[in-house]
PDB file of all heavy atoms in Angstrom:
ATOM      1  N   GLY A   1       0.782  -1.226   0.000  1.00 97.00           N
ATOM      2  CA  GLY A   1       0.000   0.000   0.000  1.00 97.00           C
ATOM      3  C   GLY A   1       0.813   1.274   0.000  1.00 97.00           C
ATOM      4  O   GLY A   1       0.238   2.370  -0.059  1.00 97.00           O
ATOM      5  N   LYS A   2       2.135   1.170   0.065  1.00 98.00           N
ATOM      6  CA  LYS A   2       3.004   2.344   0.047  1.00 98.00           C
ATOM      7  C   LYS A   2       3.551   2.574  -1.366  1.00 98.00           C
ATOM      8  O   LYS A   2       3.906   1.617  -2.058  1.00 98.00           O
ATOM      9  CB  LYS A   2       4.169   2.179   1.019  1.00 98.00           C
ATOM     10  CG  LYS A   2       3.771   2.160   2.484  1.00 98.00           C
ATOM     11  CD  LYS A   2       5.012   2.031   3.364  1.00 98.00           C
ATOM     12  CE  LYS A   2       4.637   2.016   4.839  1.00 98.00           C
ATOM     13  NZ  LYS A   2       5.846   1.867   5.705  1.00 98.00           N
ATOM     14  N   VAL A   3       3.624   3.825  -1.747  1.00 98.00           N
ATOM     15  CA  VAL A   3       4.191   4.214  -3.033  1.00 98.00           C
ATOM     16  C   VAL A   3       5.615   4.706  -2.768  1.00 98.00           C
ATOM     17  O   VAL A   3       5.820   5.656  -2.016  1.00 98.00           O
ATOM     18  CB  VAL A   3       3.347   5.313  -3.699  1.00 98.00           C
ATOM     19  CG1 VAL A   3       3.970   5.748  -5.021  1.00 98.00           C
ATOM     20  CG2 VAL A   3       1.913   4.830  -3.915  1.00 98.00           C
ATOM     21  N   ILE A   4       6.596   4.050  -3.389  1.00 98.00           N
ATOM     22  CA  ILE A   4       8.004   4.297  -3.058  1.00 98.00           C
ATOM     23  C   ILE A   4       8.786   4.630  -4.325  1.00 98.00           C
ATOM     24  O   ILE A   4       8.614   3.975  -5.355  1.00 98.00           O
ATOM     25  CB  ILE A   4       8.632   3.054  -2.387  1.00 98.00           C
ATOM     26  CG1 ILE A   4       7.774   2.594  -1.195  1.00 98.00           C
ATOM     27  CG2 ILE A   4      10.058   3.347  -1.931  1.00 98.00           C
ATOM     28  CD1 ILE A   4       8.153   1.224  -0.667  1.00 98.00           C
ATOM     29  N   THR A   5       9.650   5.642  -4.224  1.00 98.00           N
ATOM     30  CA  THR A   5      10.508   6.014  -5.346  1.00 98.00           C
ATOM     31  C   THR A   5      11.919   6.261  -4.836  1.00 98.00           C
ATOM     32  O   THR A   5      12.100   6.677  -3.687  1.00 98.00           O
ATOM     33  CB  THR A   5       9.964   7.271  -6.068  1.00 98.00           C
ATOM     34  OG1 THR A   5      10.635   7.436  -7.326  1.00 98.00           O
ATOM     35  CG2 THR A   5      10.120   8.527  -5.239  1.00 98.00           C
ATOM     36  N   PRO A   6      12.950   5.984  -5.641  1.00 98.00           N
ATOM     37  CA  PRO A   6      14.326   6.202  -5.191  1.00 98.00           C
ATOM     38  C   PRO A   6      14.613   7.672  -4.898  1.00 98.00           C
ATOM     39  O   PRO A   6      14.067   8.563  -5.572  1.00 98.00           O
ATOM     40  CB  PRO A   6      15.174   5.715  -6.366  1.00 98.00           C
ATOM     41  CG  PRO A   6      14.293   4.790  -7.126  1.00 98.00           C
ATOM     42  CD  PRO A   6      12.916   5.350  -6.981  1.00 98.00           C
ATOM     43  N   PRO A   7      15.472   7.951  -3.940  1.00 97.00           N
ATOM     44  CA  PRO A   7      15.887   9.337  -3.688  1.00 97.00           C
ATOM     45  C   PRO A   7      16.788   9.840  -4.813  1.00 97.00           C
ATOM     46  O   PRO A   7      17.397   9.043  -5.532  1.00 97.00           O
ATOM     47  CB  PRO A   7      16.648   9.246  -2.361  1.00 97.00           C
ATOM     48  CG  PRO A   7      17.170   7.846  -2.333  1.00 97.00           C
ATOM     49  CD  PRO A   7      16.133   7.000  -3.015  1.00 97.00           C
ATOM     50  N   THR A   8      16.880  11.142  -4.956  1.00 95.00           N
ATOM     51  CA  THR A   8      17.719  11.701  -6.017  1.00 95.00           C
ATOM     52  C   THR A   8      19.203  11.498  -5.726  1.00 95.00           C
ATOM     53  O   THR A   8      20.033  11.710  -6.615  1.00 95.00           O
ATOM     54  CB  THR A   8      17.437  13.206  -6.205  1.00 95.00           C
ATOM     55  OG1 THR A   8      17.639  13.890  -4.959  1.00 95.00           O
ATOM     56  CG2 THR A   8      16.001  13.408  -6.661  1.00 95.00           C
ATOM     57  N   SER A   9      19.549  11.064  -4.530  1.00 95.00           N
ATOM     58  CA  SER A   9      20.948  10.753  -4.222  1.00 95.00           C
ATOM     59  C   SER A   9      21.457   9.571  -5.034  1.00 95.00           C
ATOM     60  O   SER A   9      22.663   9.328  -5.107  1.00 95.00           O
ATOM     61  CB  SER A   9      21.125  10.474  -2.727  1.00 95.00           C
ATOM     62  OG  SER A   9      20.315   9.394  -2.310  1.00 95.00           O
ATOM     63  N   THR A  10      20.556   8.825  -5.672  1.00 96.00           N
ATOM     64  CA  THR A  10      20.970   7.738  -6.568  1.00 96.00           C
ATOM     65  C   THR A  10      21.356   8.265  -7.952  1.00 96.00           C
ATOM     66  O   THR A  10      21.718   7.478  -8.826  1.00 96.00           O
ATOM     67  CB  THR A  10      19.829   6.716  -6.743  1.00 96.00           C
ATOM     68  OG1 THR A  10      18.694   7.370  -7.335  1.00 96.00           O
ATOM     69  CG2 THR A  10      19.434   6.105  -5.409  1.00 96.00           C
ATOM     70  N   GLY A  11      21.247   9.578  -8.153  1.00 95.00           N
ATOM     71  CA  GLY A  11      21.534  10.165  -9.454  1.00 95.00           C
ATOM     72  C   GLY A  11      20.298  10.354 -10.309  1.00 95.00           C
ATOM     73  O   GLY A  11      20.402  10.760 -11.461  1.00 95.00           O
ATOM     74  N   ALA A  12      19.115  10.074  -9.744  1.00 95.00           N
ATOM     75  CA  ALA A  12      17.870  10.197 -10.489  1.00 95.00           C
ATOM     76  C   ALA A  12      17.470  11.662 -10.664  1.00 95.00           C
ATOM     77  O   ALA A  12      17.793  12.521  -9.836  1.00 95.00           O
ATOM     78  CB  ALA A  12      16.750   9.438  -9.767  1.00 95.00           C
ATOM     79  N   LEU A  13      16.757  11.926 -11.726  1.00 94.00           N
ATOM     80  CA  LEU A  13      16.251  13.261 -12.003  1.00 94.00           C
ATOM     81  C   LEU A  13      15.177  13.646 -10.984  1.00 94.00           C
ATOM     82  O   LEU A  13      14.370  12.815 -10.566  1.00 94.00           O
ATOM     83  CB  LEU A  13      15.642  13.296 -13.405  1.00 94.00           C
ATOM     84  CG  LEU A  13      14.965  14.601 -13.846  1.00 94.00           C
ATOM     85  CD1 LEU A  13      15.995  15.692 -14.066  1.00 94.00           C
ATOM     86  CD2 LEU A  13      14.140  14.367 -15.105  1.00 94.00           C
ATOM     87  N   VAL A  14      15.170  14.913 -10.612  1.00 94.00           N
ATOM     88  CA  VAL A  14      14.068  15.460  -9.808  1.00 94.00           C
ATOM     89  C   VAL A  14      12.932  15.728 -10.785  1.00 94.00           C
ATOM     90  O   VAL A  14      12.764  16.836 -11.290  1.00 94.00           O
ATOM     91  CB  VAL A  14      14.495  16.748  -9.081  1.00 94.00           C
ATOM     92  CG1 VAL A  14      13.370  17.242  -8.172  1.00 94.00           C
ATOM     93  CG2 VAL A  14      15.752  16.518  -8.266  1.00 94.00           C
ATOM     94  N   GLY A  15      12.159  14.689 -11.074  1.00 97.00           N
ATOM     95  CA  GLY A  15      11.166  14.760 -12.138  1.00 97.00           C
ATOM     96  C   GLY A  15       9.948  15.577 -11.769  1.00 97.00           C
ATOM     97  O   GLY A  15       9.444  15.482 -10.644  1.00 97.00           O
ATOM     98  N   ILE A  16       9.441  16.347 -12.727  1.00 97.00           N
ATOM     99  CA  ILE A  16       8.209  17.106 -12.512  1.00 97.00           C
ATOM    100  C   ILE A  16       7.041  16.144 -12.320  1.00 97.00           C
ATOM    101  O   ILE A  16       6.248  16.280 -11.383  1.00 97.00           O
ATOM    102  CB  ILE A  16       7.929  18.045 -13.703  1.00 97.00           C
ATOM    103  CG1 ILE A  16       9.118  18.967 -13.986  1.00 97.00           C
ATOM    104  CG2 ILE A  16       6.652  18.826 -13.464  1.00 97.00           C
ATOM    105  CD1 ILE A  16       9.454  19.932 -12.899  1.00 97.00           C
ATOM    106  N   THR A  17       6.925  15.145 -13.200  1.00 97.00           N
ATOM    107  CA  THR A  17       5.847  14.159 -13.080  1.00 97.00           C
ATOM    108  C   THR A  17       6.037  13.310 -11.829  1.00 97.00           C
ATOM    109  O   THR A  17       5.060  12.903 -11.195  1.00 97.00           O
ATOM    110  CB  THR A  17       5.777  13.278 -14.338  1.00 97.00           C
ATOM    111  OG1 THR A  17       5.725  14.113 -15.498  1.00 97.00           O
ATOM    112  CG2 THR A  17       4.544  12.380 -14.318  1.00 97.00           C
ATOM    113  N   ARG A  18       7.268  13.047 -11.460  1.00 98.00           N
ATOM    114  CA  ARG A  18       7.571  12.338 -10.212  1.00 98.00           C
ATOM    115  C   ARG A  18       6.976  13.093  -9.027  1.00 98.00           C
ATOM    116  O   ARG A  18       6.306  12.506  -8.168  1.00 98.00           O
ATOM    117  CB  ARG A  18       9.094  12.208 -10.059  1.00 98.00           C
ATOM    118  CG  ARG A  18       9.589  11.666  -8.723  1.00 98.00           C
ATOM    119  CD  ARG A  18      11.121  11.724  -8.723  1.00 98.00           C
ATOM    120  NE  ARG A  18      11.729  11.154  -7.527  1.00 98.00           N
ATOM    121  CZ  ARG A  18      12.001  11.836  -6.426  1.00 98.00           C
ATOM    122  NH1 ARG A  18      11.696  13.137  -6.366  1.00 98.00           N
ATOM    123  NH2 ARG A  18      12.580  11.254  -5.398  1.00 98.00           N
ATOM    124  N   ASP A  19       7.227  14.401  -8.961  1.00 97.00           N
ATOM    125  CA  ASP A  19       6.721  15.199  -7.853  1.00 97.00           C
ATOM    126  C   ASP A  19       5.194  15.241  -7.845  1.00 97.00           C
ATOM    127  O   ASP A  19       4.561  15.164  -6.786  1.00 97.00           O
ATOM    128  CB  ASP A  19       7.280  16.618  -7.926  1.00 97.00           C
ATOM    129  CG  ASP A  19       8.769  16.684  -7.607  1.00 97.00           C
ATOM    130  OD1 ASP A  19       9.307  15.676  -7.099  1.00 97.00           O
ATOM    131  OD2 ASP A  19       9.395  17.732  -7.871  1.00 97.00           O
ATOM    132  N   VAL A  20       4.604  15.370  -9.045  1.00 98.00           N
ATOM    133  CA  VAL A  20       3.143  15.370  -9.137  1.00 98.00           C
ATOM    134  C   VAL A  20       2.574  14.046  -8.633  1.00 98.00           C
ATOM    135  O   VAL A  20       1.575  14.011  -7.901  1.00 98.00           O
ATOM    136  CB  VAL A  20       2.696  15.622 -10.596  1.00 98.00           C
ATOM    137  CG1 VAL A  20       1.184  15.388 -10.743  1.00 98.00           C
ATOM    138  CG2 VAL A  20       3.054  17.036 -11.027  1.00 98.00           C
ATOM    139  N   THR A  21       3.216  12.942  -8.992  1.00 98.00           N
ATOM    140  CA  THR A  21       2.745  11.619  -8.598  1.00 98.00           C
ATOM    141  C   THR A  21       2.820  11.429  -7.085  1.00 98.00           C
ATOM    142  O   THR A  21       1.896  10.871  -6.470  1.00 98.00           O
ATOM    143  CB  THR A  21       3.571  10.528  -9.316  1.00 98.00           C
ATOM    144  OG1 THR A  21       3.458  10.711 -10.734  1.00 98.00           O
ATOM    145  CG2 THR A  21       3.085   9.134  -8.942  1.00 98.00           C
ATOM    146  N   ILE A  22       3.903  11.882  -6.473  1.00 98.00           N
ATOM    147  CA  ILE A  22       4.030  11.792  -5.009  1.00 98.00           C
ATOM    148  C   ILE A  22       2.885  12.552  -4.334  1.00 98.00           C
ATOM    149  O   ILE A  22       2.239  12.046  -3.393  1.00 98.00           O
ATOM    150  CB  ILE A  22       5.396  12.341  -4.557  1.00 98.00           C
ATOM    151  CG1 ILE A  22       6.517  11.398  -4.992  1.00 98.00           C
ATOM    152  CG2 ILE A  22       5.426  12.538  -3.037  1.00 98.00           C
ATOM    153  CD1 ILE A  22       7.914  11.946  -4.768  1.00 98.00           C
ATOM    154  N   LYS A  23       2.610  13.759  -4.808  1.00 97.00           N
ATOM    155  CA  LYS A  23       1.541  14.569  -4.217  1.00 97.00           C
ATOM    156  C   LYS A  23       0.169  13.952  -4.453  1.00 97.00           C
ATOM    157  O   LYS A  23      -0.700  13.978  -3.565  1.00 97.00           O
ATOM    158  CB  LYS A  23       1.601  15.989  -4.787  1.00 97.00           C
ATOM    159  CG  LYS A  23       2.822  16.765  -4.327  1.00 97.00           C
ATOM    160  CD  LYS A  23       2.941  18.108  -5.035  1.00 97.00           C
ATOM    161  CE  LYS A  23       4.212  18.832  -4.608  1.00 97.00           C
ATOM    162  NZ  LYS A  23       4.408  20.097  -5.364  1.00 97.00           N
ATOM    163  N   LEU A  24      -0.040  13.384  -5.647  1.00 97.00           N
ATOM    164  CA  LEU A  24      -1.320  12.734  -5.929  1.00 97.00           C
ATOM    165  C   LEU A  24      -1.531  11.534  -5.018  1.00 97.00           C
ATOM    166  O   LEU A  24      -2.647  11.326  -4.502  1.00 97.00           O
ATOM    167  CB  LEU A  24      -1.366  12.278  -7.392  1.00 97.00           C
ATOM    168  CG  LEU A  24      -1.680  13.329  -8.437  1.00 97.00           C
ATOM    169  CD1 LEU A  24      -1.618  12.710  -9.832  1.00 97.00           C
ATOM    170  CD2 LEU A  24      -3.052  13.957  -8.199  1.00 97.00           C
ATOM    171  N   ALA A  25      -0.477  10.733  -4.832  1.00 98.00           N
ATOM    172  CA  ALA A  25      -0.590   9.559  -3.968  1.00 98.00           C
ATOM    173  C   ALA A  25      -0.978   9.977  -2.546  1.00 98.00           C
ATOM    174  O   ALA A  25      -1.868   9.381  -1.925  1.00 98.00           O
ATOM    175  CB  ALA A  25       0.723   8.779  -3.963  1.00 98.00           C
ATOM    176  N   GLN A  26      -0.309  10.989  -2.057  1.00 97.00           N
ATOM    177  CA  GLN A  26      -0.613  11.465  -0.698  1.00 97.00           C
ATOM    178  C   GLN A  26      -2.029  12.026  -0.616  1.00 97.00           C
ATOM    179  O   GLN A  26      -2.724  11.820   0.382  1.00 97.00           O
ATOM    180  CB  GLN A  26       0.419  12.522  -0.291  1.00 97.00           C
ATOM    181  CG  GLN A  26       1.831  11.959  -0.142  1.00 97.00           C
ATOM    182  CD  GLN A  26       2.887  13.030  -0.014  1.00 97.00           C
ATOM    183  OE1 GLN A  26       2.674  14.183  -0.392  1.00 97.00           O
ATOM    184  NE2 GLN A  26       4.056  12.663   0.527  1.00 97.00           N
ATOM    185  N   LYS A  27      -2.448  12.707  -1.667  1.00 96.00           N
ATOM    186  CA  LYS A  27      -3.781  13.308  -1.689  1.00 96.00           C
ATOM    187  C   LYS A  27      -4.886  12.268  -1.608  1.00 96.00           C
ATOM    188  O   LYS A  27      -5.906  12.472  -0.923  1.00 96.00           O
ATOM    189  CB  LYS A  27      -3.943  14.140  -2.966  1.00 96.00           C
ATOM    190  CG  LYS A  27      -5.310  14.783  -3.119  1.00 96.00           C
ATOM    191  CD  LYS A  27      -5.412  15.534  -4.446  1.00 96.00           C
ATOM    192  CE  LYS A  27      -6.807  16.093  -4.643  1.00 96.00           C
ATOM    193  NZ  LYS A  27      -6.928  16.796  -5.961  1.00 96.00           N
ATOM    194  N   VAL A  28      -4.699  11.136  -2.282  1.00 97.00           N
ATOM    195  CA  VAL A  28      -5.756  10.106  -2.293  1.00 97.00           C
ATOM    196  C   VAL A  28      -5.557   9.053  -1.210  1.00 97.00           C
ATOM    197  O   VAL A  28      -6.273   8.052  -1.165  1.00 97.00           O
ATOM    198  CB  VAL A  28      -5.875   9.435  -3.678  1.00 97.00           C
ATOM    199  CG1 VAL A  28      -6.291  10.461  -4.727  1.00 97.00           C
ATOM    200  CG2 VAL A  28      -4.575   8.753  -4.083  1.00 97.00           C
ATOM    201  N   GLY A  29      -4.566   9.262  -0.333  1.00 97.00           N
ATOM    202  CA  GLY A  29      -4.463   8.425   0.853  1.00 97.00           C
ATOM    203  C   GLY A  29      -3.415   7.332   0.857  1.00 97.00           C
ATOM    204  O   GLY A  29      -3.399   6.489   1.757  1.00 97.00           O
ATOM    205  N   TYR A  30      -2.516   7.350  -0.141  1.00 98.00           N
ATOM    206  CA  TYR A  30      -1.446   6.348  -0.150  1.00 98.00           C
ATOM    207  C   TYR A  30      -0.156   6.976   0.384  1.00 98.00           C
ATOM    208  O   TYR A  30       0.274   8.013  -0.131  1.00 98.00           O
ATOM    209  CB  TYR A  30      -1.190   5.826  -1.565  1.00 98.00           C
ATOM    210  CG  TYR A  30      -2.396   5.212  -2.238  1.00 98.00           C
ATOM    211  CD1 TYR A  30      -2.884   5.746  -3.429  1.00 98.00           C
ATOM    212  CD2 TYR A  30      -3.052   4.117  -1.682  1.00 98.00           C
ATOM    213  CE1 TYR A  30      -3.991   5.195  -4.057  1.00 98.00           C
ATOM    214  CE2 TYR A  30      -4.158   3.560  -2.300  1.00 98.00           C
ATOM    215  CZ  TYR A  30      -4.624   4.110  -3.490  1.00 98.00           C
ATOM    216  OH  TYR A  30      -5.719   3.568  -4.108  1.00 98.00           O
ATOM    217  N   PRO A  31       0.481   6.391   1.375  1.00 97.00           N
ATOM    218  CA  PRO A  31       1.767   6.914   1.825  1.00 97.00           C
ATOM    219  C   PRO A  31       2.765   6.891   0.666  1.00 97.00           C
ATOM    220  O   PRO A  31       2.896   5.879  -0.019  1.00 97.00           O
ATOM    221  CB  PRO A  31       2.192   5.946   2.934  1.00 97.00           C
ATOM    222  CG  PRO A  31       0.923   5.275   3.368  1.00 97.00           C
ATOM    223  CD  PRO A  31       0.060   5.209   2.153  1.00 97.00           C
ATOM    224  N   ALA A  32       3.425   8.021   0.424  1.00 97.00           N
ATOM    225  CA  ALA A  32       4.394   8.118  -0.667  1.00 97.00           C
ATOM    226  C   ALA A  32       5.717   8.585  -0.086  1.00 97.00           C
ATOM    227  O   ALA A  32       5.793   9.649   0.534  1.00 97.00           O
ATOM    228  CB  ALA A  32       3.904   9.089  -1.731  1.00 97.00           C
ATOM    229  N   ILE A  33       6.758   7.787  -0.288  1.00 96.00           N
ATOM    230  CA  ILE A  33       8.043   8.076   0.341  1.00 96.00           C
ATOM    231  C   ILE A  33       9.191   7.887  -0.640  1.00 96.00           C
ATOM    232  O   ILE A  33       9.067   7.179  -1.641  1.00 96.00           O
ATOM    233  CB  ILE A  33       8.282   7.177   1.582  1.00 96.00           C
ATOM    234  CG1 ILE A  33       8.297   5.692   1.161  1.00 96.00           C
ATOM    235  CG2 ILE A  33       7.246   7.431   2.646  1.00 96.00           C
ATOM    236  CD1 ILE A  33       8.708   4.752   2.284  1.00 96.00           C
ATOM    237  N   GLU A  34      10.318   8.540  -0.330  1.00 97.00           N
ATOM    238  CA  GLU A  34      11.573   8.280  -1.012  1.00 97.00           C
ATOM    239  C   GLU A  34      12.360   7.284  -0.175  1.00 97.00           C
ATOM    240  O   GLU A  34      12.521   7.478   1.028  1.00 97.00           O
ATOM    241  CB  GLU A  34      12.392   9.561  -1.164  1.00 97.00           C
ATOM    242  CG  GLU A  34      11.832  10.555  -2.148  1.00 97.00           C
ATOM    243  CD  GLU A  34      12.789  11.724  -2.356  1.00 97.00           C
ATOM    244  OE1 GLU A  34      13.847  11.744  -1.688  1.00 97.00           O
ATOM    245  OE2 GLU A  34      12.475  12.603  -3.168  1.00 97.00           O
ATOM    246  N   SER A  35      12.829   6.224  -0.817  1.00 98.00           N
ATOM    247  CA  SER A  35      13.609   5.221  -0.099  1.00 98.00           C
ATOM    248  C   SER A  35      14.445   4.437  -1.103  1.00 98.00           C
ATOM    249  O   SER A  35      14.024   4.258  -2.258  1.00 98.00           O
ATOM    250  CB  SER A  35      12.695   4.264   0.664  1.00 98.00           C
ATOM    251  OG  SER A  35      13.441   3.279   1.342  1.00 98.00           O
ATOM    252  N   ASN A  36      15.613   3.979  -0.676  1.00 98.00           N
ATOM    253  CA  ASN A  36      16.411   3.123  -1.548  1.00 98.00           C
ATOM    254  C   ASN A  36      15.631   1.866  -1.911  1.00 98.00           C
ATOM    255  O   ASN A  36      14.961   1.272  -1.057  1.00 98.00           O
ATOM    256  CB  ASN A  36      17.724   2.736  -0.869  1.00 98.00           C
ATOM    257  CG  ASN A  36      18.741   3.861  -0.887  1.00 98.00           C
ATOM    258  OD1 ASN A  36      18.762   4.674  -1.811  1.00 98.00           O
ATOM    259  ND2 ASN A  36      19.588   3.916   0.126  1.00 98.00           N
ATOM    260  N   ILE A  37      15.728   1.478  -3.170  1.00 98.00           N
ATOM    261  CA  ILE A  37      15.035   0.292  -3.678  1.00 98.00           C
ATOM    262  C   ILE A  37      16.083  -0.648  -4.258  1.00 98.00           C
ATOM    263  O   ILE A  37      16.863  -0.247  -5.129  1.00 98.00           O
ATOM    264  CB  ILE A  37      14.009   0.677  -4.768  1.00 98.00           C
ATOM    265  CG1 ILE A  37      12.924   1.587  -4.190  1.00 98.00           C
ATOM    266  CG2 ILE A  37      13.393  -0.579  -5.394  1.00 98.00           C
ATOM    267  CD1 ILE A  37      11.989   2.157  -5.252  1.00 98.00           C
ATOM    268  N   THR A  38      16.127  -1.863  -3.792  1.00 98.00           N
ATOM    269  CA  THR A  38      17.052  -2.852  -4.331  1.00 98.00           C
ATOM    270  C   THR A  38      16.391  -3.576  -5.501  1.00 98.00           C
ATOM    271  O   THR A  38      15.160  -3.536  -5.655  1.00 98.00           O
ATOM    272  CB  THR A  38      17.452  -3.888  -3.275  1.00 98.00           C
ATOM    273  OG1 THR A  38      16.294  -4.685  -2.950  1.00 98.00           O
ATOM    274  CG2 THR A  38      17.982  -3.220  -2.010  1.00 98.00           C
ATOM    275  N   PRO A  39      17.184  -4.256  -6.330  1.00 98.00           N
ATOM    276  CA  PRO A  39      16.562  -5.071  -7.380  1.00 98.00           C
ATOM    277  C   PRO A  39      15.564  -6.072  -6.815  1.00 98.00           C
ATOM    278  O   PRO A  39      14.501  -6.302  -7.411  1.00 98.00           O
ATOM    279  CB  PRO A  39      17.761  -5.767  -8.031  1.00 98.00           C
ATOM    280  CG  PRO A  39      18.881  -4.789  -7.867  1.00 98.00           C
ATOM    281  CD  PRO A  39      18.664  -4.200  -6.502  1.00 98.00           C
ATOM    282  N   THR A  40      15.871  -6.666  -5.651  1.00 98.00           N
ATOM    283  CA  THR A  40      14.928  -7.613  -5.036  1.00 98.00           C
ATOM    284  C   THR A  40      13.629  -6.918  -4.664  1.00 98.00           C
ATOM    285  O   THR A  40      12.539  -7.487  -4.840  1.00 98.00           O
ATOM    286  CB  THR A  40      15.571  -8.264  -3.788  1.00 98.00           C
ATOM    287  OG1 THR A  40      16.706  -9.026  -4.199  1.00 98.00           O
ATOM    288  CG2 THR A  40      14.583  -9.191  -3.089  1.00 98.00           C
ATOM    289  N   ASP A  41      13.720  -5.696  -4.135  1.00 98.00           N
ATOM    290  CA  ASP A  41      12.504  -4.935  -3.836  1.00 98.00           C
ATOM    291  C   ASP A  41      11.651  -4.768  -5.077  1.00 98.00           C
ATOM    292  O   ASP A  41      10.415  -4.881  -5.023  1.00 98.00           O
ATOM    293  CB  ASP A  41      12.861  -3.551  -3.289  1.00 98.00           C
ATOM    294  CG  ASP A  41      13.504  -3.578  -1.921  1.00 98.00           C
ATOM    295  OD1 ASP A  41      13.212  -4.507  -1.134  1.00 98.00           O
ATOM    296  OD2 ASP A  41      14.296  -2.655  -1.625  1.00 98.00           O
ATOM    297  N   LEU A  42      12.303  -4.492  -6.189  1.00 98.00           N
ATOM    298  CA  LEU A  42      11.568  -4.295  -7.443  1.00 98.00           C
ATOM    299  C   LEU A  42      10.960  -5.602  -7.926  1.00 98.00           C
ATOM    300  O   LEU A  42       9.780  -5.653  -8.296  1.00 98.00           O
ATOM    301  CB  LEU A  42      12.502  -3.715  -8.499  1.00 98.00           C
ATOM    302  CG  LEU A  42      11.938  -3.511  -9.914  1.00 98.00           C
ATOM    303  CD1 LEU A  42      10.680  -2.657  -9.894  1.00 98.00           C
ATOM    304  CD2 LEU A  42      13.001  -2.893 -10.826  1.00 98.00           C
ATOM    305  N   PHE A  43      11.729  -6.689  -7.908  1.00 98.00           N
ATOM    306  CA  PHE A  43      11.228  -7.981  -8.372  1.00 98.00           C
ATOM    307  C   PHE A  43      10.017  -8.446  -7.576  1.00 98.00           C
ATOM    308  O   PHE A  43       9.133  -9.128  -8.100  1.00 98.00           O
ATOM    309  CB  PHE A  43      12.327  -9.045  -8.277  1.00 98.00           C
ATOM    310  CG  PHE A  43      13.504  -8.829  -9.190  1.00 98.00           C
ATOM    311  CD1 PHE A  43      14.770  -9.275  -8.823  1.00 98.00           C
ATOM    312  CD2 PHE A  43      13.364  -8.197 -10.424  1.00 98.00           C
ATOM    313  CE1 PHE A  43      15.867  -9.080  -9.647  1.00 98.00           C
ATOM    314  CE2 PHE A  43      14.455  -8.009 -11.263  1.00 98.00           C
ATOM    315  CZ  PHE A  43      15.712  -8.444 -10.865  1.00 98.00           C
ATOM    316  N   THR A  44       9.980  -8.102  -6.291  1.00 98.00           N
ATOM    317  CA  THR A  44       8.921  -8.600  -5.402  1.00 98.00           C
ATOM    318  C   THR A  44       7.862  -7.541  -5.103  1.00 98.00           C
ATOM    319  O   THR A  44       7.029  -7.727  -4.213  1.00 98.00           O
ATOM    320  CB  THR A  44       9.521  -9.094  -4.077  1.00 98.00           C
ATOM    321  OG1 THR A  44      10.220  -8.025  -3.427  1.00 98.00           O
ATOM    322  CG2 THR A  44      10.487 -10.252  -4.320  1.00 98.00           C
ATOM    323  N   ALA A  45       7.884  -6.428  -5.838  1.00 98.00           N
ATOM    324  CA  ALA A  45       6.906  -5.366  -5.616  1.00 98.00           C
ATOM    325  C   ALA A  45       5.507  -5.832  -6.002  1.00 98.00           C
ATOM    326  O   ALA A  45       5.330  -6.715  -6.849  1.00 98.00           O
ATOM    327  CB  ALA A  45       7.295  -4.130  -6.427  1.00 98.00           C
ATOM    328  N   ASP A  46       4.515  -5.222  -5.373  1.00 98.00           N
ATOM    329  CA  ASP A  46       3.121  -5.499  -5.736  1.00 98.00           C
ATOM    330  C   ASP A  46       2.785  -4.853  -7.083  1.00 98.00           C
ATOM    331  O   ASP A  46       2.026  -5.407  -7.883  1.00 98.00           O
ATOM    332  CB  ASP A  46       2.177  -4.967  -4.663  1.00 98.00           C
ATOM    333  CG  ASP A  46       2.427  -5.586  -3.299  1.00 98.00           C
ATOM    334  OD1 ASP A  46       2.723  -6.798  -3.247  1.00 98.00           O
ATOM    335  OD2 ASP A  46       2.333  -4.864  -2.281  1.00 98.00           O
ATOM    336  N   GLU A  47       3.356  -3.679  -7.303  1.00 98.00           N
ATOM    337  CA  GLU A  47       3.162  -2.946  -8.552  1.00 98.00           C
ATOM    338  C   GLU A  47       4.419  -2.140  -8.820  1.00 98.00           C
ATOM    339  O   GLU A  47       5.212  -1.878  -7.910  1.00 98.00           O
ATOM    340  CB  GLU A  47       1.965  -1.984  -8.452  1.00 98.00           C
ATOM    341  CG  GLU A  47       0.657  -2.607  -8.011  1.00 98.00           C
ATOM    342  CD  GLU A  47      -0.443  -1.569  -7.798  1.00 98.00           C
ATOM    343  OE1 GLU A  47      -0.479  -0.565  -8.560  1.00 98.00           O
ATOM    344  OE2 GLU A  47      -1.254  -1.747  -6.876  1.00 98.00           O
TER     345      GLU A  47
END
């Protein structure tokens, strides 16, 4: 139920759509956080 995206410390772009998505998730009630994501986290993600 949590929406997770890598922090920009990984070299990722501070995306405009990324920021909009974080705010939308929070607005509709889904916790949205920045956190390191491993390949295993991605392989076993719900979405």
Side-chain angles (χ1 to χ4, degrees):
K2 293 182 180 179
V3 178
I4 307 168
T5 193
T8 57
S9 59
T10 61
L13 176 70
V14 184
I16 305 296
T17 308
R18 172 185 184 270
D19 290 347
V20 170
T21 302
I22 290 172
K23 291 173 183 175
L24 280 177
Q26 294 169 340
K27 178 183 176 182
V28 297
Y30 302 120
I33 61 172
E34 290 187 358
S35 179
N36 283 329
I37 297 172
T38 68
T40 296
D41 292 331
L42 177 55
F43 294 150
T44 59
D46 300 322
E47 306 174 35

